[in-house]
C-alpha cells in the first residue's frame, strides 16, 4: 500500500538506523539503560553473605552482593585506583573485594580498607574518600533490581502502579524449574525482540499451533507510564479441561475474582514477565550490539511431587503444542517453524527481520490499527526518553 494511503496513526516512528547503527546503540545505552531500573537476578541467586552477581546497566558494570547483615548492597564494579573491574559474573567475595591489578581491597560495605605499600607510595592517601561508588538496589516480587545512580527515583515510583496489571500470581509460592531455563544469543536488534514480545497481531498467526490455548481476539493491552501491560483469557475448551490439557500443573492460588489467562507485561525497556495459568517466568532482553541480543528466561511453576506430570506424552516443556503442519511441505524437522516451540518461532522471525533491514528496499508498509499499536507506542516512549536525555 502506498504510504499516502496509510493512516498517520499507523506509521512506525523509528528509522532503520535505530536497528542497525552503532551510534544509535550507544545512545540507547547512555539513556534508556542507564536511566531506568534494570533487572539483575532473583533473590535466590544470593543466598549467603558475600555472594555477589554483576550486571550491566548501560555503560556501567554493577556489583550486587549480600552483606553480612542480610541486606543487599550495590556498587559500581570499578576499582577507585585505576578503574579495573573488581569482579566477574558471579561468585562469593569472602570478607572483602580485592582488585586483581594492584590488590587494593574494599569491605563489603564498599569502603577502601587496604592499599599495598601505602606509606612509601601513597603517603597522603585519604582512604575514606576512595570507597566504591554506590548504586541503588531493591527487591520486588523476588526479583533484584538495580540502578546505577544512587539518587534515582525509588523502584516503587518507577513502576508507576504496573503491579496492579501483572496478574494474581504469587511468585514466592512457586518454585524455579531449572529445566525450562533458556539462554539464547539472537542475531537481531533488541528492539525487534521487544516489539515482537508486545505485538498482539502475530499471536494468532505465527503461533497458531504453539499458543492456541489463548483467545487472542480478546486481548487487552495498554501502557502504564512506559511499561506495557497485556492480558488475554484462555480458550473456553482449554479452560474447562485445564487440569487434563495443561502441560504443567495449573497454579491453584488464584481466587474466583482473579481471571485466569496470560498476563504478559514488559517493564521498560527490557524485562518481560509472563504469568500464565501454569507458570510465571521472566524474559530478560540484554542488548549486546546493534544486531545481536542475549535473551534469558527463567521459569517458576507450582511445587508438586508428581514430576511425571511434566513429561506427559514424552514431550518437554517447550514442545507441548502439536505441530500443525502449517509449513510442512519441503521443510526439514530441524526447522524452527516445525519445532513446536514458540520461542524458536519468535527467534526465527526476529532474525529474518534483521536480515531484511540490509535491503535498500526495506520499509514498513503499515501496522495494525489495534494489535500493533503497542509497537508504535513503545517507539514513541523510546524517542521521548532519548530526547529528554539529550
Amino acid at each position: 500500500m502506498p504510504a499516502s494511503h496509510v493512516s498517520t496513526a499507523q506509521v512506525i516512528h523509528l528509522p532503520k538506523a535505530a536497528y542497525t547503527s552503532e551510534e544509535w546503540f550507544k545512545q540507547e545505552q547512555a539513556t534508556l539503560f542507564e536511566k531506568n531500573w534494570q533487572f539483575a537476578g532473583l533473590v535466590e541467586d544470593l543466598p549467603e553473605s558475600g555472594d555477589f552477581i554483576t550486571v550491566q546497566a548501560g555503560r556501567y558494570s554493577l556489583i550486587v552482593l549480600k552483606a553480612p547483615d542480610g541486606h543487599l548492597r550495590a556498587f559500581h564494579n570499578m576499582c577507585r585506583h585505576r578503574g579495573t573491574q573488581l569482579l566477574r559474573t558471579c561468585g562469593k567475595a569472602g570478607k572483602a573485594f580485592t582488585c586483581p591489578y594492584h590488590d587494593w581491597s574494599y569491605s563489603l560495605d564498599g569502603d577502601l580498607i587496604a592499599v599495598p605499600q601505602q606509606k612509601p607510595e601513597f603517603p597522603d592517601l585519604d582512604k575514606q574518600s576512595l570507597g566504591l561508588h554506590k548504586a541503588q538496589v531493591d527487591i520486588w516480587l523476588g526479583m533484584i533490581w538495580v540502578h546505577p545512580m544512587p539518587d534515582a527515583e525509588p523502584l516503587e515510583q518507577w513502576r508507576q502502579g504496573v503491579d496492579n496489571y501483572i496478574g494474581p500470581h504469587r511468585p514466592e509460592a512457586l518454585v524455579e524449574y531449572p529445566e525450562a531455563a533458556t539462554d539464547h544469543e539472537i542475531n537481531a536488534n533488541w528492539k525487534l525482540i521487544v516489539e515482537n514480545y508486545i505485538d498482539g497481531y502475530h499471536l494468532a498467526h505465527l503461533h497458531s499451533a504453539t499458543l492456541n490455548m489463548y483467545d487472542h481476539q480478546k486481548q487487552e493491552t495498554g501502557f502504564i507510564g512506559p511499561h506495557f501491560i497485556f492480558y488475554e483469557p484462555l480458550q473456553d475448551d482449554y479452560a474447562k479441561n485445564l487440569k487434563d490439557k495443561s502441560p504443567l500443573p495449573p497454579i491453584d492460588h488464584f481466587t474466583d475474582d482473579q481471571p485466569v489467562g496470560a498476563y504478559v507485561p514488559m517493564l521498560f525497556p527490557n524485562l518481560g514477565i509472563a504469568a500464565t495459568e501454569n507458570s510465571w517466568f521472566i524474559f530478560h532482553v540484554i542488548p549486546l550490539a546493534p544486531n545481536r541480543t542475549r535473551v534469558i528466561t527463567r521459569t517458576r511453576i507450582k511445587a508438586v511431587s508428581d514430576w511425571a506430570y511434566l513429561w506427559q506424552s514424552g514431550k518437554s516443556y517447550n514442545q507441548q503444542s502439536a505441530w500443525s503442519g502449517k509449513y510442512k511441505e519441503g521443510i526439514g524437522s530441524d526447522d524452527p517453524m516445525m519445532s513446536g516451540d514458540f520461542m524458536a518461532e519468535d527467534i526465527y522471525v526476529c532474525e529474518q527481520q534483521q536480515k531484511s533491514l540490509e535491503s535498500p528496499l526495506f520499509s514498513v508498509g503499515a501496522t495494525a490499527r489495534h494489535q500493533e499499536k503497542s509497537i508504535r507506542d513503545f517507539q514513541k516512549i523510546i524517542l521521548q526518553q532519548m530526547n529528554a536525555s539529550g
Side-chain angles (χ1 to χ4, degrees):
M1 179 183 293
S4 60
H5 293 172
V6 178
S7 166
T8 55
Q10 294 174 250
V11 173
I12 286 292
H13 300 285
L14 292 181
K16 183 161 69 170
Y19 302 86
T20 60
S21 162
E22 182 68 31
E23 181 179 353
W24 190 290
F25 181 82
K26 289 179 178 178
Q27 188 181 356
E28 289 174 340
Q29 294 300 304
T31 54
L32 308 181
F33 291 89
E34 291 177 12
K35 301 196 175 180
N36 285 284
W37 283 80
Q38 291 292 302
F39 171 78
L42 301 176
V43 291
E44 55 262 40
D45 297 335
L46 301 175
E48 299 178 353
S49 173
D51 289 343
F52 72 86
I53 52 179
T54 63
V55 60
Q56 198 73 24
R59 296 167 296 179
Y60 299 108
S61 176
L62 305 178
I63 301 167
V64 182
L65 70 105
K66 192 166 191 177
D69 62 5
H71 291 99
L72 298 183
R73 305 272 192 273
F75 305 101
H76 285 257
N77 186 17
M78 182 174 63
C79 180
R80 294 298 305 278
H81 174 215
R82 297 269 296 279
T84 303
Q85 286 198 352
L86 297 167
L87 301 173
R88 293 175 291 179
T89 314
C90 61
K92 184 175 283 293
K95 296 182 179 180
F97 304 124
T98 299
C99 177
Y101 199 1
H102 298 97
D103 286 343
W104 283 36
S105 294
Y106 302 85
S107 72
L108 299 189
D109 290 322
D111 299 323
L112 178 60
I113 55 176
V115 175
Q117 301 172 265
Q118 180 177 343
K119 287 186 178 180
E121 298 291 350
F122 306 94
D124 301 319
L125 188 70
D126 178 11
K127 289 204 296 261
Q128 291 186 343
S129 67
L130 290 173
L132 298 178
H133 293 297
K134 293 182 179 179
Q136 279 205 66
V137 61
D138 206 345
I139 297 173
W140 171 53
L141 292 180
M143 297 179 285
I144 301 170
W145 294 80
V146 293
H147 198 294
M149 301 302 151
D151 57 350
E153 64 179 333
L155 178 64
E156 183 177 4
Q157 182 179 336
W158 174 79
R159 297 200 308 266
Q160 299 195 29
V162 74
D163 313 46
N164 299 320
Y165 299 90
I166 61 172
H169 302 68
R170 300 201 307 269
E172 73 281 0
L174 306 174
V175 296
E176 186 162 9
Y177 177 25
E179 289 85 352
T182 66
D183 190 339
H184 295 280
E185 191 166 305
I186 302 171
N187 295 318
N189 183 272
W190 72 274
K191 294 184 295 300
L192 289 180
I193 295 166
V194 172
E195 288 172 6
N196 175 77
Y197 189 91
I198 66 177
D199 171 10
Y201 185 42
H202 82 293
L203 295 174
H205 308 289
L206 178 66
H207 301 313
S208 59
T210 47
L211 292 178
N212 54 14
M213 66 285 292
Y214 302 110
D215 192 339
H216 305 308
Q217 301 309 311
K218 294 181 179 179
Q219 59 186 251
E220 302 171 11
T221 69
F223 280 82
I224 303 296
H227 309 302
F228 172 73
I229 56 173
F230 176 101
Y231 168 76
E232 60 182 4
L234 304 178
Q235 291 281 6
D236 289 342
D237 181 64
Y238 179 69
K240 290 175 183 176
N241 300 280
L242 185 58
K243 187 173 181 181
D244 293 329
K245 295 198 170 193
S246 175
L248 292 168
I251 296 172
D252 58 4
H253 61 229
F254 306 148
T255 60
D256 292 339
D257 61 342
Q258 298 170 311
V260 180
Y263 298 82
V264 193
M266 172 63 70
L267 277 78
F268 189 83
N270 63 324
L271 194 279
I273 300 172
T276 74
E277 72 283 1
N278 56 31
S279 65
W280 185 96
F281 78 87
I282 57 166
F283 184 89
H284 190 197
V285 181
I286 305 170
L288 301 177
N291 60 352
R292 196 158 48 88
T293 304
R294 184 183 182 192
V295 174
I296 297 173
T297 71
R298 295 173 69 174
T299 301
R300 291 181 184 274
I301 62 172
K302 178 183 174 183
V304 293
S305 57
D306 185 11
W307 290 101
Y309 188 76
L310 302 176
W311 303 98
Q312 57 183 335
S313 302
K315 296 179 181 179
S316 70
Y317 173 71
N318 282 328
Q319 296 173 325
Q320 293 296 329
S321 297
W323 167 244
S324 68
K326 182 176 179 182
Y327 298 104
K328 196 174 193 178
E329 186 176 352
I331 295 180
S333 60
D334 60 343
D335 189 276
M337 300 303 290
M338 291 188 67
S339 65
D341 180 348
F342 67 85
M343 184 78 170
E345 294 168 343
D346 284 330
I347 291 172
Y348 174 79
V349 297
C350 288
E351 292 189 335
Q352 296 310 306
Q353 281 185 284
Q354 189 71 39
K355 289 178 182 178
S356 292
L357 286 165
E358 301 299 325
S359 170
L361 294 177
F362 174 85
S363 66
V364 177
T367 56
R369 177 179 297 177
H370 302 296
Q371 293 184 341
E372 288 181 303
K373 182 178 183 295
S374 56
I375 296 174
R376 301 189 296 272
D377 290 342
F378 172 69
Q379 293 186 353
K380 283 183 185 177
I381 293 166
I382 286 177
L383 290 174
Q384 289 167 358
Q385 292 209 9
M386 291 178 72
N387 292 334
S389 299

